[in-house]
Amino acid sequence: MINAIYGKKIGMTQIFNEDDRVVPVTVIQAEPNTICQVKTKDSDGYEAVQLGFGAIKEKKVNKPMAGHFAKQGTAPTRYLREVRVENAGEYKVGDQQTVAAFAETKKVDVTGTSKGKGFAGVMKRYGFRGGPGGHGAHFHRAPGSVGQCATPSRVFKGLKLPGHMGVDTVTVKNLEVVRIDEEQNLILVKGAIPGGKNGVVRVRMA
């Protein structure tokens, strides 16, 4: 069984549940994912299926990818992603994974790429307290002392310092599935998920 589907984050809204309570939801558009390749232990050393999604014109596909799609006999897609499965031999190229597979699913794990924040200091990036705001202080938003004395006379790797913030792979687990719309290929999950609008996300059965 393929336990995941890929789609795009449309945005957030709110709906009313059966108890007339407002529920904040994120709308994910998960068009049918087409199996573009089947990988088995005999051929590739592991069991997986390659899912393609997002329609694209043939002229916009480069030659290596055009050859890949032609060899498999599938229509070109904008995105290709792999999903591990237990027995890939059960699936055929051209089969589709749709939101209908999540009809009975109560919880999902959603993985996406977080929004980029550019270069950020330690207060914004890691929540450092910072220094005093007044009384003649000259230490405000800097990270402070980061190294040791003569031994080892260097700064250790992995220290929390200013740098590029965001654009990380983030997974939010056990999100409640509020509604499945098979006609419009929509999955509504309770709460927020990583990334901005139109960001590619993976929805996996928890």
Side-chain angles (χ1 to χ4, degrees):
M1 179 183 179
I2 303 176
N3 66 346
I5 190 170
Y6 286 85
K8 285 190 174 182
K9 175 181 176 180
I10 301 300
M12 290 197 70
T13 183
Q14 58 185 24
I15 62 173
F16 290 91
N17 62 9
E18 297 173 355
D19 301 326
D20 288 335
R21 289 181 177 270
V22 173
V23 181
V25 295
T26 301
V27 183
I28 301 170
Q29 174 111 45
E31 297 178 2
N33 290 190
T34 305
I35 295 179
C36 296
Q37 187 179 1
V38 175
K39 298 190 175 184
T40 61
K41 277 190 176 180
D42 297 333
S43 61
D44 298 274
Y46 63 99
E47 302 281 326
V49 292
Q50 187 184 73
L51 299 177
F53 60 101
I56 188 173
K57 295 180 180 178
E58 290 188 14
K59 65 180 182 180
K60 291 191 175 182
V61 180
N62 60 27
K63 286 187 177 180
M65 292 310 301
H68 173 72
F69 290 119
K71 181 180 178 181
Q72 301 299 328
T74 59
T77 58
R78 187 177 297 275
Y79 304 102
L80 288 176
R81 298 289 188 273
E82 274 191 14
V83 176
R84 293 290 187 106
V85 293
E86 292 184 357
N87 190 1
E90 298 176 356
Y91 307 98
K92 296 179 181 179
V93 173
D95 291 350
Q96 289 190 330
Q97 171 81 335
T98 65
V99 296
F102 290 77
E104 303 299 324
T105 305
K106 302 296 183 185
K107 302 275 188 178
V108 292
D109 300 338
V110 180
T111 302
T113 303
S114 63
K115 289 182 179 180
K117 305 292 184 182
F119 190 94
V122 290
M123 289 180 68
K124 178 176 180 178
R125 195 180 184 195
Y126 296 111
F128 278 26
R129 180 173 174 271
H135 298 286
H138 294 280
F139 175 76
H140 300 298
R141 301 182 66 88
S145 178
V146 294
Q148 286 71 38
C149 196
T151 306
S153 191
R154 64 186 177 88
V155 176
F156 287 126
K157 285 184 178 181
L159 210 64
K160 293 180 178 180
L161 291 170
H164 187 201
M165 182 179 177
V167 198
D168 295 316
T169 300
V170 181
T171 301
V172 180
K173 295 187 175 183
N174 294 320
L175 290 175
E176 180 185 339
V177 178
V178 179
R179 187 178 298 171
I180 300 287
D181 189 337
E182 296 183 22
E183 291 185 3
Q184 301 186 59
N185 301 314
L186 299 178
I187 302 176
L188 275 63
V189 297
K190 184 179 179 180
I193 64 173
K197 292 179 181 178
N198 295 320
V200 175
V201 295
R202 182 189 71 176
V203 183
R204 184 170 59 88
M205 300 175 187

